[in-house]
Amino acid sequence: KKKKVTCEQTKMMKSTAVVVALVAFVSTNAFMFQGSMNGVTTRLEPVKAISIEEMISKSKSDRLAHLEAQAMEALTIAAENFENAVFPNAMIVGDCVITHLLHKLDYLKTGKVKIMVVDTFHLFDSTMPFLKSLEEKYGFKAEIFQPADCKDKAEYEAKYGEKLWTINVEEYDRICKVEPFQRGLKTLNTDVMINGRRRDHGAERAYIDIAEVAPIGGGLAKLNPLAYWTLEDCFDYAAAEGVPLHPTVAQGYPSQGDAKDTVPVPDPDGLSGVQGEAGSVKWVEGEWFGDKSIWLDYGAERRGRFVGLEGQDGKKKTECGIHVSGAERTWDRDLWGGEGNEDKPSTVINLASQEEALAVKNKKEPAVVVVYAPWCPFCQAMEEEYEKLAVDLSAKGFTVAKYRGDVDRPFVQEEFNTQAFPTINIVTKDGIVKYESEDRQLESMLAFFDEQTGVLA
C-alpha cells in the first residue's frame, strides 16, 4: 500500500540517504526509502546484499583498473608522440610495474621504449641477474651504463678506492650515478624520460604530476605514470598481474638501491628507523607477512635506503642525485673555453697533459690551477668568477689555469690535493696550497692568492 509523506519528511529522508545506503550493503532486510517529490512516488525496493570484504575487494579492483588505464594512456602518449622515450629502470617495485605496463603495450619487444639501467658497481648481487630474467620474460635488452672508463668494479676500485662514498658521498653519486645517468640519456638521444616517482615517496615528491617538463636547457619531458599511485597500489597490482619483483622484496627490503647503504625494514640495529627482526615484514608471491604498514606508511618505502649517508650539509640523504632538479641535464661543453665554447674564448690556460700540469706546479712561480669536471654543478657555478680571476691575474703576469680531473683522478689525487671538484690550488715557491673555502667569489680567491704568495701587495 502506497503511503504519502510530507515535504519535510522527504527532506529528512534525503539527508540520511547516504548513511542508509551504506547500511544497505550489509543488510539483507534493507530497503530504499519511500517518498514523494514533484509528483513522483518512490517504492520500497530490496537492495542487493554485499559483504564488507566484497565491497573492499571491488573498490580496490576498480581503483587498480583506473590507475592502470591512466598510466597506460600516459605511456602511450609518451611513446607515440616522442622519438626516443627512455625508461631508467632501478627495478624497485614501481619500476617493475612500469616494465609490466610497457610490455602490455608492446613497447619493449618493438623497442618503442628503451630501458636504461645504471650499474653503480655497488648494487645487490641479485640485481643484474634479476634484470636478465626481466629481459627474458618481456623480450627486451636493457642499455646499461656504468661509471666512466671502468669496465668492471675492480677497475673502478683501482681508480677511486673501495669506499669513496665514505670520503665524499656527493662525489660518489656523481661518478657512479649522475654521470652515467646523464651519459645514458644523451647516448640514447632521450627526448622524454619515463620514471617511477610517486607522490607518496615523501616530501620531495609530494606534488609531482603525471607529466612534467624539466626546467633545463632543451626542456626534456618527464613522465611519471605512477605519480598518483601508492606503494600499496603497486603491490596490489603486482599481485593481481603476477608482476615479478626484485628478490630482496621477499627478504624484507621494501626498496632496492646500493647494497652498501640499504638495509631491510625492520632491521636488527634500527638503522632504518624501525628495529626488529630482518625479514619479519616481507611480500612473497603476492602475500604479505608481518605488519605491512611499516612499509606502506607515507614516505616509508625508502626507510632502508641511504643508511649512514650524510651530505656536505650534514643532513641525511634522501635522494641519490638522479632525480633532483636538473640532474637530467647533459653537459655538452667544456668550461673556460674548449669544446662547445668556440664563440666564447677564455683567459684561463688549459693544461692538456700531465706534463703541462706538472710544469706549472714544479716551476714554483705564483699561479692558480683549478682541477675540475665540466659536468660538476659546483664547477659550473664558479665559471664566471674564475674567469674574472684569470683576467685580473693574467693582466699582472700570473698564470691562471685549469686541468680536467674527472678523466685523470689518480694523478690529480696524488699531485693536486684533489678528492672532489672543484679543487683550487695556489702555486707558491714552497709548493702548492689548496684553497679550502667554498667561497669562490673573485675577492676571496684574490685575497687567498695574495696571502699565499705576497705578490699583490
Side-chain angles (χ1 to χ4, degrees):
K1 182 179 179 179
K2 295 180 181 179
K3 180 179 179 181
K4 299 292 185 180
V5 296
T6 66
C7 184
E8 289 300 317
Q9 288 174 316
T10 301
K11 290 179 180 178
M12 182 177 67
M13 289 188 289
K14 288 179 64 181
S15 67
T16 58
V18 173
V19 175
V20 175
L22 287 173
V23 174
F25 275 118
V26 293
S27 174
T28 57
N29 297 315
F31 291 87
M32 294 290 287
F33 271 95
Q34 176 186 6
S36 178
M37 179 173 283
N38 297 327
V40 178
T41 303
T42 61
R43 296 178 63 85
L44 290 170
E45 297 288 348
V47 176
K48 182 180 178 181
I50 183 171
S51 70
I52 288 291
E53 290 77 12
E54 290 173 320
M55 180 182 177
I56 292 173
S57 178
K58 182 179 184 304
S59 296
K60 281 192 171 185
S61 179
D62 290 346
R63 173 178 172 81
L64 288 180
H66 166 72
L67 290 172
E68 179 190 59
Q70 183 184 69
M72 291 179 76
E73 179 181 31
L75 290 168
T76 300
I77 291 172
E80 300 297 339
N81 289 276
F82 290 86
E83 293 296 322
N84 297 296
V86 174
F87 172 36
N89 191 337
M91 288 163 279
I92 58 177
V93 177
D95 286 2
C96 291
V97 168
I98 294 175
T99 304
H100 187 77
L101 293 171
L102 289 170
H103 167 70
K104 292 184 74 169
L105 291 165
D106 202 30
Y107 288 148
L108 296 182
K109 286 184 178 179
T110 61
K112 190 76 173 177
V113 175
K114 292 183 175 64
I115 287 187
M116 179 182 105
V117 172
V118 173
D119 180 4
T120 65
F121 293 142
H122 295 80
L123 303 174
F124 283 95
D125 291 341
S126 55
T127 297
M128 299 311 284
F130 176 60
L131 172 62
K132 185 176 181 181
S133 72
L134 294 180
E135 291 176 327
E136 293 173 353
K137 176 179 176 63
Y138 294 125
F140 69 91
K141 186 65 178 174
E143 303 283 347
I144 300 174
F145 294 87
Q146 302 168 333
D149 302 318
C150 298
K151 66 177 183 295
D152 54 29
K153 188 173 183 178
E155 186 170 341
Y156 163 84
E157 289 182 348
K159 283 188 175 184
Y160 308 116
E162 295 182 8
K163 295 187 177 181
L164 175 61
W165 73 89
T166 64
I167 300 171
N168 188 326
V169 68
E170 279 84 5
E171 186 71 357
Y172 169 81
D173 282 348
R174 284 194 288 271
I175 294 168
C176 295
K177 299 179 182 181
V178 179
E179 190 281 330
F181 175 75
Q182 293 176 334
R183 177 163 35 90
L185 294 179
K186 180 179 179 181
T187 300
L188 299 175
N189 297 313
T190 309
D191 52 5
V192 60
M193 180 179 72
I194 299 165
N195 69 88
R197 295 185 305 155
R198 303 190 316 272
R199 289 185 169 194
D200 74 328
H201 273 141
E204 298 91 343
R205 305 178 181 184
Y207 298 101
I208 62 171
D209 283 310
I210 199 165
E212 305 172 73
V213 174
I216 57 177
L220 174 66
K222 297 168 68 178
L223 188 76
N224 311 312
L226 305 186
Y228 312 132
W229 294 48
T230 65
L231 180 59
E232 185 173 20
D233 292 327
C234 293
F235 277 112
D236 286 346
Y237 186 81
E241 292 282 316
V243 177
L245 300 184
H246 195 287
T248 58
V249 173
Q251 299 167 10
Y253 292 81
S255 185
Q256 294 66 43
D258 281 350
K260 63 181 176 54
D261 53 61
T262 303
V263 298
V265 182
D267 68 283
D269 299 319
L271 298 175
S272 65
V274 184
Q275 189 168 17
E277 181 184 354
S280 58
V281 177
K282 56 188 176 184
W283 189 92
V284 184
E285 296 183 355
E287 184 178 356
W288 282 103
F289 294 85
D291 181 4
K292 66 179 183 180
S293 68
I294 293 175
W295 286 17
L296 301 181
D297 283 347
Y298 176 79
E301 179 181 357
R302 297 184 295 166
R303 271 177 171 164
R305 296 280 299 279
F306 313 116
V307 170
L309 299 184
E310 292 184 351
Q312 291 182 349
D313 58 3
K315 296 180 180 178
K316 182 182 184 301
K317 286 183 67 66
T318 58
E319 293 277 4
C320 68
I322 286 180
H323 289 301
V324 298
S325 177
E328 308 84 358
R329 185 171 188 171
T330 56
W331 199 247
D332 292 325
R333 69 176 182 86
D334 199 0
L335 301 180
W336 304 294
E339 184 180 358
N341 291 305
E342 288 77 12
D343 59 344
K344 188 181 178 182
S346 174
T347 308
V348 178
I349 296 172
N350 179 43
L351 304 176
S353 67
Q354 293 182 2
E355 290 73 21
E356 290 182 9
L358 289 174
V360 172
K361 175 186 175 182
N362 295 333
K363 195 173 184 180
K364 295 186 177 181
E365 293 182 355
V368 187
V369 178
V370 63
V371 180
Y372 75 105
W375 45 264
C376 169
F378 303 107
C379 298
Q380 297 163 16
M382 67 169 283
E383 184 177 19
E384 183 177 348
E385 292 299 306
Y386 195 71
E387 183 66 38
K388 291 178 183 178
L389 180 70
V391 171
D392 187 296
L393 291 181
S394 65
K396 298 178 174 69
F398 303 113
T399 296
V400 177
K402 64 173 184 175
Y403 186 80
R404 183 167 178 176
D406 60 323
V407 295
D408 199 6
R409 290 174 190 268
F411 172 72
V412 296
Q413 287 171 356
E414 182 177 351
E415 298 290 345
F416 285 91
N417 302 318
T418 302
Q419 293 298 327
F421 305 121
T423 294
I424 301 172
N425 288 289
I426 308 300
V427 181
T428 74
K429 60 183 177 58
D430 298 316
I432 61 171
V433 182
K434 182 178 179 180
Y435 179 62
E436 298 284 0
S437 174
E438 292 186 7
D439 180 356
R440 302 182 183 107
Q441 296 298 305
L442 172 62
E443 293 76 12
S444 298
M445 292 187 290
L446 275 174
F448 186 75
F449 176 79
D450 190 39
E451 178 185 323
Q452 298 302 317
T453 62
V455 296
L456 299 183

PDB file of all heavy atoms in Angstrom, residues 25 34 42 106 108 134 152 154-155 174 182 226 230 251 269 292 294 312 349 379 392 407 419 425 444 451:
ATOM      1  N   PHE A  25      24.244  -2.112   2.121  1.00  0.00           N
ATOM      2  CA  PHE A  25      25.198  -3.049   1.530  1.00  0.00           C
ATOM      3  C   PHE A  25      25.340  -4.322   2.358  1.00  0.00           C
ATOM      4  O   PHE A  25      25.640  -5.378   1.845  1.00  0.00           O
ATOM      5  CB  PHE A  25      26.580  -2.391   1.406  1.00  0.00           C
ATOM      6  CG  PHE A  25      26.742  -1.585   0.156  1.00  0.00           C
ATOM      7  CD1 PHE A  25      26.981  -0.226   0.231  1.00  0.00           C
ATOM      8  CD2 PHE A  25      26.675  -2.194  -1.083  1.00  0.00           C
ATOM      9  CE1 PHE A  25      27.138   0.518  -0.911  1.00  0.00           C
ATOM     10  CE2 PHE A  25      26.837  -1.454  -2.234  1.00  0.00           C
ATOM     11  CZ  PHE A  25      27.057  -0.086  -2.150  1.00  0.00           C
ATOM     12  N   GLN A  34      10.812   5.258   0.811  1.00  0.00           N
ATOM     13  CA  GLN A  34       9.607   5.572   0.041  1.00  0.00           C
ATOM     14  C   GLN A  34       9.284   7.036   0.268  1.00  0.00           C
ATOM     15  O   GLN A  34       9.370   7.533   1.391  1.00  0.00           O
ATOM     16  CB  GLN A  34       8.427   4.711   0.510  1.00  0.00           C
ATOM     17  CG  GLN A  34       7.119   5.055  -0.180  1.00  0.00           C
ATOM     18  CD  GLN A  34       5.970   4.262   0.432  1.00  0.00           C
ATOM     19  OE1 GLN A  34       6.167   3.565   1.416  1.00  0.00           O
ATOM     20  NE2 GLN A  34       4.799   4.380  -0.143  1.00  0.00           N
ATOM     21  N   THR A  42       8.303   7.112  -4.816  1.00  0.00           N
ATOM     22  CA  THR A  42       9.241   6.002  -4.799  1.00  0.00           C
ATOM     23  C   THR A  42       8.626   4.831  -4.057  1.00  0.00           C
ATOM     24  O   THR A  42       7.708   4.989  -3.251  1.00  0.00           O
ATOM     25  CB  THR A  42      10.555   6.406  -4.101  1.00  0.00           C
ATOM     26  OG1 THR A  42      10.255   6.769  -2.757  1.00  0.00           O
ATOM     27  CG2 THR A  42      11.205   7.576  -4.810  1.00  0.00           C
ATOM     28  N   ASP A 106      53.229  -3.483 -25.618  1.00  0.00           N
ATOM     29  CA  ASP A 106      54.118  -3.998 -26.662  1.00  0.00           C
ATOM     30  C   ASP A 106      55.193  -2.987 -27.058  1.00  0.00           C
ATOM     31  O   ASP A 106      55.650  -2.958 -28.203  1.00  0.00           O
ATOM     32  CB  ASP A 106      53.311  -4.415 -27.902  1.00  0.00           C
ATOM     33  CG  ASP A 106      54.070  -5.426 -28.764  1.00  0.00           C
ATOM     34  OD1 ASP A 106      54.865  -6.210 -28.189  1.00  0.00           O
ATOM     35  OD2 ASP A 106      53.885  -5.431 -29.995  1.00  0.00           O
ATOM     36  N   LEU A 108      58.182  -2.842 -25.451  1.00  0.00           N
ATOM     37  CA  LEU A 108      59.513  -3.357 -25.136  1.00  0.00           C
ATOM     38  C   LEU A 108      60.073  -4.199 -26.269  1.00  0.00           C
ATOM     39  O   LEU A 108      61.192  -3.958 -26.742  1.00  0.00           O
ATOM     40  CB  LEU A 108      59.465  -4.160 -23.833  1.00  0.00           C
ATOM     41  CG  LEU A 108      59.105  -3.347 -22.585  1.00  0.00           C
ATOM     42  CD1 LEU A 108      59.127  -4.232 -21.352  1.00  0.00           C
ATOM     43  CD2 LEU A 108      60.030  -2.154 -22.398  1.00  0.00           C
ATOM     44  N   LEU A 134      64.149 -10.379 -16.323  1.00  0.00           N
ATOM     45  CA  LEU A 134      63.133  -9.486 -16.887  1.00  0.00           C
ATOM     46  C   LEU A 134      63.295  -9.378 -18.398  1.00  0.00           C
ATOM     47  O   LEU A 134      62.306  -9.357 -19.140  1.00  0.00           O
ATOM     48  CB  LEU A 134      63.223  -8.096 -16.244  1.00  0.00           C
ATOM     49  CG  LEU A 134      62.890  -7.981 -14.761  1.00  0.00           C
ATOM     50  CD1 LEU A 134      63.042  -6.526 -14.297  1.00  0.00           C
ATOM     51  CD2 LEU A 134      61.469  -8.466 -14.477  1.00  0.00           C
ATOM     52  N   ASP A 152      84.811  -2.686 -15.087  1.00  0.00           N
ATOM     53  CA  ASP A 152      84.250  -3.516 -14.030  1.00  0.00           C
ATOM     54  C   ASP A 152      84.560  -2.886 -12.671  1.00  0.00           C
ATOM     55  O   ASP A 152      85.225  -1.855 -12.582  1.00  0.00           O
ATOM     56  CB  ASP A 152      84.790  -4.943 -14.105  1.00  0.00           C
ATOM     57  CG  ASP A 152      86.320  -5.002 -14.108  1.00  0.00           C
ATOM     58  OD1 ASP A 152      86.965  -4.098 -13.532  1.00  0.00           O
ATOM     59  OD2 ASP A 152      86.872  -5.940 -14.703  1.00  0.00           O
ATOM     60  N   ALA A 154      86.499  -3.925 -10.284  1.00  0.00           N
ATOM     61  CA  ALA A 154      87.920  -3.947  -9.928  1.00  0.00           C
ATOM     62  C   ALA A 154      88.642  -2.718 -10.467  1.00  0.00           C
ATOM     63  O   ALA A 154      89.444  -2.088  -9.763  1.00  0.00           O
ATOM     64  CB  ALA A 154      88.564  -5.220 -10.464  1.00  0.00           C
ATOM     65  N   GLU A 155      88.336  -2.354 -11.703  1.00  0.00           N
ATOM     66  CA  GLU A 155      88.972  -1.182 -12.294  1.00  0.00           C
ATOM     67  C   GLU A 155      88.478   0.094 -11.613  1.00  0.00           C
ATOM     68  O   GLU A 155      89.248   1.034 -11.395  1.00  0.00           O
ATOM     69  CB  GLU A 155      88.676  -1.123 -13.794  1.00  0.00           C
ATOM     70  CG  GLU A 155      89.421  -0.011 -14.505  1.00  0.00           C
ATOM     71  CD  GLU A 155      89.317  -0.097 -16.016  1.00  0.00           C
ATOM     72  OE1 GLU A 155      88.994  -1.195 -16.530  1.00  0.00           O
ATOM     73  OE2 GLU A 155      89.559   0.928 -16.677  1.00  0.00           O
ATOM     74  N   ARG A 174      78.031  11.392  -8.082  1.00  0.00           N
ATOM     75  CA  ARG A 174      78.285  11.926  -9.417  1.00  0.00           C
ATOM     76  C   ARG A 174      78.968  10.887 -10.309  1.00  0.00           C
ATOM     77  O   ARG A 174      78.606  10.719 -11.471  1.00  0.00           O
ATOM     78  CB  ARG A 174      79.133  13.196  -9.335  1.00  0.00           C
ATOM     79  CG  ARG A 174      78.365  14.416  -8.876  1.00  0.00           C
ATOM     80  CD  ARG A 174      79.149  15.685  -9.125  1.00  0.00           C
ATOM     81  NE  ARG A 174      80.280  15.822  -8.232  1.00  0.00           N
ATOM     82  CZ  ARG A 174      80.243  16.404  -7.042  1.00  0.00           C
ATOM     83  NH1 ARG A 174      79.094  16.862  -6.579  1.00  0.00           N
ATOM     84  NH2 ARG A 174      81.325  16.515  -6.295  1.00  0.00           N
ATOM     85  N   GLN A 182      73.323  10.722 -16.837  1.00  0.00           N
ATOM     86  CA  GLN A 182      73.329  11.780 -17.847  1.00  0.00           C
ATOM     87  C   GLN A 182      73.860  11.267 -19.184  1.00  0.00           C
ATOM     88  O   GLN A 182      73.299  11.553 -20.242  1.00  0.00           O
ATOM     89  CB  GLN A 182      74.192  12.953 -17.372  1.00  0.00           C
ATOM     90  CG  GLN A 182      73.637  13.698 -16.172  1.00  0.00           C
ATOM     91  CD  GLN A 182      74.590  14.774 -15.693  1.00  0.00           C
ATOM     92  OE1 GLN A 182      75.798  14.687 -15.890  1.00  0.00           O
ATOM     93  NE2 GLN A 182      74.056  15.796 -15.057  1.00  0.00           N
ATOM     94  N   LEU A 226      53.175   6.676 -12.545  1.00  0.00           N
ATOM     95  CA  LEU A 226      52.666   6.194 -11.257  1.00  0.00           C
ATOM     96  C   LEU A 226      52.526   7.321 -10.234  1.00  0.00           C
ATOM     97  O   LEU A 226      52.403   7.057  -9.036  1.00  0.00           O
ATOM     98  CB  LEU A 226      53.598   5.116 -10.681  1.00  0.00           C
ATOM     99  CG  LEU A 226      53.916   3.904 -11.558  1.00  0.00           C
ATOM    100  CD1 LEU A 226      54.726   2.882 -10.768  1.00  0.00           C
ATOM    101  CD2 LEU A 226      52.662   3.264 -12.111  1.00  0.00           C
ATOM    102  N   THR A 230      49.933   4.627  -4.947  1.00  0.00           N
ATOM    103  CA  THR A 230      50.621   4.455  -3.675  1.00  0.00           C
ATOM    104  C   THR A 230      51.460   3.182  -3.769  1.00  0.00           C
ATOM    105  O   THR A 230      51.297   2.378  -4.692  1.00  0.00           O
ATOM    106  CB  THR A 230      49.650   4.317  -2.502  1.00  0.00           C
ATOM    107  OG1 THR A 230      48.890   3.104  -2.671  1.00  0.00           O
ATOM    108  CG2 THR A 230      48.696   5.511  -2.430  1.00  0.00           C
ATOM    109  N   GLN A 251      62.895 -10.840   0.998  1.00  0.00           N
ATOM    110  CA  GLN A 251      63.847 -10.942   2.104  1.00  0.00           C
ATOM    111  C   GLN A 251      63.679  -9.812   3.108  1.00  0.00           C
ATOM    112  O   GLN A 251      64.452  -9.709   4.069  1.00  0.00           O
ATOM    113  CB  GLN A 251      65.274 -10.937   1.542  1.00  0.00           C
ATOM    114  CG  GLN A 251      65.565 -12.105   0.612  1.00  0.00           C
ATOM    115  CD  GLN A 251      66.854 -11.917  -0.167  1.00  0.00           C
ATOM    116  OE1 GLN A 251      67.637 -10.996   0.102  1.00  0.00           O
ATOM    117  NE2 GLN A 251      67.088 -12.773  -1.159  1.00  0.00           N
ATOM    118  N   ASP A 269      69.371  -3.518  14.006  1.00  0.00           N
ATOM    119  CA  ASP A 269      70.033  -2.387  14.653  1.00  0.00           C
ATOM    120  C   ASP A 269      69.217  -1.100  14.619  1.00  0.00           C
ATOM    121  O   ASP A 269      69.660  -0.074  15.136  1.00  0.00           O
ATOM    122  CB  ASP A 269      71.391  -2.139  13.995  1.00  0.00           C
ATOM    123  CG  ASP A 269      72.324  -3.331  14.129  1.00  0.00           C
ATOM    124  OD1 ASP A 269      72.350  -3.938  15.212  1.00  0.00           O
ATOM    125  OD2 ASP A 269      72.999  -3.670  13.141  1.00  0.00           O
ATOM    126  N   LYS A 292      52.438  -4.858   7.389  1.00  0.00           N
ATOM    127  CA  LYS A 292      52.726  -4.190   6.122  1.00  0.00           C
ATOM    128  C   LYS A 292      52.722  -2.670   6.230  1.00  0.00           C
ATOM    129  O   LYS A 292      53.308  -1.978   5.399  1.00  0.00           O
ATOM    130  CB  LYS A 292      51.747  -4.637   5.042  1.00  0.00           C
ATOM    131  CG  LYS A 292      50.308  -4.221   5.271  1.00  0.00           C
ATOM    132  CD  LYS A 292      49.424  -4.699   4.135  1.00  0.00           C
ATOM    133  CE  LYS A 292      47.979  -4.237   4.308  1.00  0.00           C
ATOM    134  NZ  LYS A 292      47.129  -4.703   3.198  1.00  0.00           N
ATOM    135  N   ILE A 294      54.339  -0.862   8.102  1.00  0.00           N
ATOM    136  CA  ILE A 294      55.716  -0.379   8.272  1.00  0.00           C
ATOM    137  C   ILE A 294      56.315   0.007   6.923  1.00  0.00           C
ATOM    138  O   ILE A 294      57.112   0.943   6.823  1.00  0.00           O
ATOM    139  CB  ILE A 294      56.579  -1.453   8.968  1.00  0.00           C
ATOM    140  CG1 ILE A 294      56.107  -1.645  10.417  1.00  0.00           C
ATOM    141  CG2 ILE A 294      58.063  -1.085   8.941  1.00  0.00           C
ATOM    142  CD1 ILE A 294      56.813  -2.772  11.144  1.00  0.00           C
ATOM    143  N   GLN A 312      77.066  17.056   2.423  1.00  0.00           N
ATOM    144  CA  GLN A 312      78.015  18.024   2.967  1.00  0.00           C
ATOM    145  C   GLN A 312      77.359  18.988   3.944  1.00  0.00           C
ATOM    146  O   GLN A 312      78.028  19.602   4.768  1.00  0.00           O
ATOM    147  CB  GLN A 312      78.666  18.809   1.824  1.00  0.00           C
ATOM    148  CG  GLN A 312      79.590  17.954   0.973  1.00  0.00           C
ATOM    149  CD  GLN A 312      80.259  18.752  -0.135  1.00  0.00           C
ATOM    150  OE1 GLN A 312      79.894  19.891  -0.410  1.00  0.00           O
ATOM    151  NE2 GLN A 312      81.245  18.146  -0.776  1.00  0.00           N
ATOM    152  N   ILE A 349      94.124  29.298 -18.904  1.00  0.00           N
ATOM    153  CA  ILE A 349      95.008  28.439 -19.714  1.00  0.00           C
ATOM    154  C   ILE A 349      94.644  26.979 -19.492  1.00  0.00           C
ATOM    155  O   ILE A 349      94.512  26.522 -18.353  1.00  0.00           O
ATOM    156  CB  ILE A 349      96.481  28.675 -19.344  1.00  0.00           C
ATOM    157  CG1 ILE A 349      96.878  30.118 -19.686  1.00  0.00           C
ATOM    158  CG2 ILE A 349      97.402  27.687 -20.056  1.00  0.00           C
ATOM    159  CD1 ILE A 349      98.257  30.508 -19.180  1.00  0.00           C
ATOM    160  N   CYS A 379      81.518  23.310 -10.202  1.00  0.00           N
ATOM    161  CA  CYS A 379      82.458  23.891 -11.172  1.00  0.00           C
ATOM    162  C   CYS A 379      81.729  24.866 -12.092  1.00  0.00           C
ATOM    163  O   CYS A 379      82.231  25.954 -12.398  1.00  0.00           O
ATOM    164  CB  CYS A 379      83.122  22.791 -11.989  1.00  0.00           C
ATOM    165  SG  CYS A 379      84.116  21.634 -11.022  1.00  0.00           S
ATOM    166  N   ASP A 392      92.049  39.159 -14.174  1.00  0.00           N
ATOM    167  CA  ASP A 392      92.745  40.034 -13.228  1.00  0.00           C
ATOM    168  C   ASP A 392      94.221  39.649 -13.092  1.00  0.00           C
ATOM    169  O   ASP A 392      95.124  40.487 -13.247  1.00  0.00           O
ATOM    170  CB  ASP A 392      92.059  39.953 -11.867  1.00  0.00           C
ATOM    171  CG  ASP A 392      92.611  40.959 -10.876  1.00  0.00           C
ATOM    172  OD1 ASP A 392      93.792  40.857 -10.515  1.00  0.00           O
ATOM    173  OD2 ASP A 392      91.846  41.848 -10.442  1.00  0.00           O
ATOM    174  N   VAL A 407      88.796  12.794 -15.617  1.00  0.00           N
ATOM    175  CA  VAL A 407      89.304  11.753 -16.515  1.00  0.00           C
ATOM    176  C   VAL A 407      90.728  11.330 -16.145  1.00  0.00           C
ATOM    177  O   VAL A 407      91.338  10.524 -16.842  1.00  0.00           O
ATOM    178  CB  VAL A 407      89.266  12.243 -17.985  1.00  0.00           C
ATOM    179  CG1 VAL A 407      87.831  12.464 -18.438  1.00  0.00           C
ATOM    180  CG2 VAL A 407      90.078  13.527 -18.152  1.00  0.00           C
ATOM    181  N   GLN A 419      90.215  15.548  -4.010  1.00  0.00           N
ATOM    182  CA  GLN A 419      89.290  14.479  -3.664  1.00  0.00           C
ATOM    183  C   GLN A 419      87.902  14.763  -4.243  1.00  0.00           C
ATOM    184  O   GLN A 419      87.098  13.853  -4.420  1.00  0.00           O
ATOM    185  CB  GLN A 419      89.177  14.336  -2.141  1.00  0.00           C
ATOM    186  CG  GLN A 419      90.451  13.840  -1.476  1.00  0.00           C
ATOM    187  CD  GLN A 419      90.858  12.451  -1.933  1.00  0.00           C
ATOM    188  OE1 GLN A 419      90.015  11.620  -2.234  1.00  0.00           O
ATOM    189  NE2 GLN A 419      92.160  12.202  -1.994  1.00  0.00           N
ATOM    190  N   ASN A 425      94.113  25.175  -6.436  1.00  0.00           N
ATOM    191  CA  ASN A 425      95.449  25.166  -5.832  1.00  0.00           C
ATOM    192  C   ASN A 425      96.209  26.438  -6.182  1.00  0.00           C
ATOM    193  O   ASN A 425      96.175  26.891  -7.335  1.00  0.00           O
ATOM    194  CB  ASN A 425      96.261  23.959  -6.326  1.00  0.00           C
ATOM    195  CG  ASN A 425      95.761  22.647  -5.744  1.00  0.00           C
ATOM    196  OD1 ASN A 425      95.940  22.379  -4.569  1.00  0.00           O
ATOM    197  ND2 ASN A 425      95.119  21.838  -6.571  1.00  0.00           N
ATOM    198  N   SER A 444      87.503  36.828  -2.686  1.00  0.00           N
ATOM    199  CA  SER A 444      88.018  35.828  -1.750  1.00  0.00           C
ATOM    200  C   SER A 444      89.182  35.062  -2.345  1.00  0.00           C
ATOM    201  O   SER A 444      90.185  34.796  -1.666  1.00  0.00           O
ATOM    202  CB  SER A 444      86.897  34.858  -1.362  1.00  0.00           C
ATOM    203  OG  SER A 444      85.855  35.536  -0.703  1.00  0.00           O
ATOM    204  N   GLU A 451      97.610  36.137   0.012  1.00  0.00           N
ATOM    205  CA  GLU A 451      98.031  35.646   1.319  1.00  0.00           C
ATOM    206  C   GLU A 451      99.122  34.593   1.185  1.00  0.00           C
ATOM    207  O   GLU A 451     100.077  34.548   1.986  1.00  0.00           O
ATOM    208  CB  GLU A 451      96.820  35.064   2.052  1.00  0.00           C
ATOM    209  CG  GLU A 451      97.130  34.475   3.420  1.00  0.00           C
ATOM    210  CD  GLU A 451      95.902  33.818   4.036  1.00  0.00           C
ATOM    211  OE1 GLU A 451      94.786  34.339   3.852  1.00  0.00           O
ATOM    212  OE2 GLU A 451      96.066  32.766   4.689  1.00  0.00           O
TER     213      GLU A 451
END
